[in-house]
Amino acid sequence: MSFRHIFVASIGNPSPTYSNTLHSAGHTVLSHLRVWLHTSPFRKSRIHASGLLSDDPRDPYWILWQSPSLMNISGKPVHTAWRTFLSSLNTAEERKSARLVLVHDELELPIGKIKVRQGEQSAKGHNGVKSVMATLPKGTDLTKVGVGIGRPASRESNDVAAYVMRKMTEAEVDIMADVAGQVSEIVRDMSNGVR
């Protein structure tokens, strides 16, 4: 069986200020995904755009990475980290089959639900996803995993901004841990060539 190399990147706002805010749900899920996939504690990686990196040298088929930038300008660091990841692969075949998985918050989904979309599909108004899609080279094998954070009753922009910037409750953090289990299955399937 041939395995695909998977680079799992989360976008959100930087910690510690924005840790466990709804808008940084992607980072929260990745923190829990590290446990599900048995990768190393996150560490800063200068060559990966100074993001936080987690890997497992014994099972090098997936690497987890958290963007260090503000959400709406995530594109450049994601592109830099992705390019560095590709350059670390040994063969042209490995680089060609590698996949970028982008984990981000999804306002239009109930909390804890996930939606998987291919890269060419719309960013659905998500500025962080738009930034990433605008900077990646055409033809990048991108899969977007939207993590539901729910939506406030009001559609007023100030109310929505306050909602996404609030800290998650303990119960919501637990939900994100469960979501990480679902995402781990997606990553394993992709690595095994099932998705």
Side-chain angles (χ1 to χ4, degrees), residues 83-117:
R83 195 174 59 232
T84 300
F85 170 73
L86 288 176
S87 71
S88 74
L89 301 178
N90 295 320
T91 67
E93 182 181 334
E94 287 178 341
R95 288 186 287 279
K96 185 178 179 183
S97 70
R99 182 176 282 180
L100 171 59
V101 176
L102 185 68
V103 183
H104 61 88
D105 64 306
E106 187 72 55
L107 194 61
E108 300 300 329
L109 287 176
I111 193 149
K113 300 294 182 193
I114 62 172
K115 184 164 189 170
V116 179
R117 295 190 314 269

Side-chain angles (χ1 to χ4, degrees), residues 22-30 102-117 126 144-150 168 172 175-177 179-180 183:
L22 289 171
H23 207 29
S24 294
H27 290 338
T28 304
V29 167
L30 228 64
L102 185 68
V103 183
H104 61 88
D105 64 306
E106 187 72 55
L107 194 61
E108 300 300 329
L109 287 176
I111 193 149
K113 300 294 182 193
I114 62 172
K115 184 164 189 170
V116 179
R117 295 190 314 269
H126 192 295
K144 299 175 293 216
V145 178
V147 177
I149 61 169
M168 293 180 200
E172 289 167 338
I175 289 169
M176 295 302 150
V179 167
V183 175

Side-chain angles (χ1 to χ4, degrees), residues 34 42 50 64 98 123 128 189 195:
R34 186 190 73 71
F42 281 100
S50 294
L64 310 180
D189 286 350
R195 288 182 181 248

Side-chain angles (χ1 to χ4, degrees), residues 33-52:
L33 185 59
R34 186 190 73 71
V35 176
W36 282 92
L37 295 177
H38 310 289
T39 59
S40 65
F42 281 100
R43 65 192 181 282
K44 187 173 183 176
S45 173
R46 285 190 188 275
I47 64 169
H48 292 89
S50 294
L52 298 178

